[in-house]
Amino acid sequence: MAQEISRDIGPVVLLGPPGAGKGTQAKRIMEKYLIPQISTGDILRYNVAQATELGLKAKAVMARGELVSDDLMYPMVRQRLSQPDCKRGYILDGFPRTAAQAQWLDVLLEDKLFENPRPTQSWPIVICLDVDYNELLLRITGRRSCPTCGRIYNVHFQPPRNDEVCDLDGTKLVTRNDDRLEVIQPRLKAYQEQTAPVVDYYQRTGRLVWVNGDLPMDEVTGQIFRILEARHS
Ligand code: AP5
């Protein structure tokens, strides 16, 4: 896959319900444009695994499929976005997830919270993956991931070559704690009630682009790349 390192890409926000393919597509954008994937879910899961103070506070909330509180999310996101590798752009996967988080991000991007203004910082392009409900259930229940390299598989759509083992490093694949059937419904409910307003927010501000996330992975990737290219042409 061709890589692109010469241009500023700016912030890219991937929106969509649990299982829509945000993480899958974020990794492909990252590989092509060499900008970091910032998955708030991955950062939280790392903190849970390391039993940090943040992880201990977030663990039970995540296990119930609910959203972690903003007072924990904001310092975490602000700290990550201030890292030098975000200078040319970054992919936000899982943030913002509430209308309040979307407004907070806008304020952050206006540099009001940065000590040194960054005039080249542009508004995010927001790509929302639209996926059928039954397809989401299949994707979530079939998901497996590699705890070593983070690669995502799906036993239905994208199985590893050898049963339950990562193709790249041979690590045994794991199922996420919140992919249990009893947690999937609360996660989808949280999306409908708390994240759907984020879609409205970006639609109103003219920054939202819909992508049919039901399509095969490569076709979704192709659409996303075309959107990013059109923005920078
Ligand atoms: P998070 O980790 O962000 O999870 P999520 O939003 O529920 O999304 P998922 O990771 O489940 O799905 P995805 O869209 O990335 O799909 P994927 O690419 O893996 O959040 C987890 C928790 O953290 C939250 O519940 C909350 O508690 C907390 N949290 C995180 N951010 C927060 C925030 N901002 N505020 C508060 N709390 C927060 O794909 C799914 C499967 O489908 C894979 O198996 C993949 O192989 C397959 N697949 C993908 N695309 C396709 C395709 N086109 N065709 C066929 N299969 C496909």
Side-chain angles (χ1 to χ4, degrees):
M1 193 179 285
Q3 293 180 337
E4 177 68 69
I5 56 170
S6 56
R7 291 178 295 171
D8 281 355
I9 305 300
V12 179
V13 171
L14 288 184
L15 279 181
K22 303 182 293 296
T24 301
Q25 297 301 330
K27 285 181 175 50
R28 292 172 173 211
I29 301 171
M30 176 177 73
E31 280 166 17
K32 180 170 167 64
Y33 293 100
L34 298 179
I35 56 174
Q37 171 196 15
I38 300 176
S39 160
T40 45
D42 284 350
I43 300 173
L44 288 167
R45 279 185 288 278
Y46 174 81
N47 278 273
V48 170
Q50 299 295 313
T52 64
E53 192 183 338
L54 168 62
L56 292 173
K57 287 179 181 162
K59 186 176 179 178
V61 180
M62 293 174 75
R64 290 196 299 270
E66 297 168 7
L67 295 190
V68 173
S69 64
D70 289 348
D71 61 313
L72 295 179
M73 297 306 299
Y74 292 159
M76 185 185 105
V77 173
R78 180 166 36 211
Q79 196 274 339
R80 183 63 189 90
L81 295 187
S82 65
Q83 298 300 305
D85 65 337
C86 293
K87 216 168 158 214
R88 286 180 47 250
Y90 45 84
I91 311 138
L92 278 169
D93 160 12
F95 190 96
R97 238 181 169 91
T98 63
Q101 289 183 3
Q103 286 163 17
W104 177 88
L105 180 65
D106 275 356
V107 174
L108 190 77
L109 295 179
E110 280 177 62
D111 288 331
K112 288 181 183 157
L113 299 176
F114 282 112
E115 282 177 17
N116 300 309
R118 291 195 283 173
T120 57
Q121 190 76 267
S122 53
W123 290 113
I125 183 154
V126 184
I127 298 173
C128 189
L129 301 175
D130 187 24
V131 181
D132 172 77
Y133 179 84
N134 290 321
E135 174 78 11
L136 290 176
L137 292 182
L138 264 182
R139 289 189 188 179
I140 298 173
T141 52
R143 173 168 45 196
R144 303 287 182 274
S145 55
C146 173
T148 303
C149 70
R151 184 166 178 173
I152 304 168
Y153 296 86
N154 194 289
V155 295
H156 309 299
F157 308 111
Q158 196 192 26
R161 280 195 297 271
N162 296 314
D163 204 22
E164 303 287 322
V165 168
C166 180
D167 293 346
L168 300 179
D169 51 41
T171 308
K172 186 166 171 29
L173 302 179
V174 295
T175 303
R176 260 170 51 176
N177 189 37
D178 58 353
D179 281 350
R180 288 171 291 129
L181 267 179
E182 64 273 27
V183 189
I184 293 173
Q185 287 305 335
R187 285 170 63 203
L188 291 169
K189 187 163 175 269
Y191 179 81
Q192 281 309 327
E193 292 179 358
Q194 290 165 276
T195 309
V198 179
V199 177
D200 297 339
Y201 175 79
Y202 285 126
Q203 191 123 42
R204 276 200 310 278
T205 50
R207 285 180 257 162
L208 189 81
V209 188
W210 287 98
V211 165
N212 180 358
D214 278 328
L215 295 171
M217 283 174 213
D218 289 350
E219 288 184 39
V220 178
T221 308
Q223 284 198 29
I224 292 175
F225 287 172
R226 280 193 288 280
I227 290 165
L228 295 178
E229 291 302 320
R231 186 198 202 197
H232 294 284
S233 63

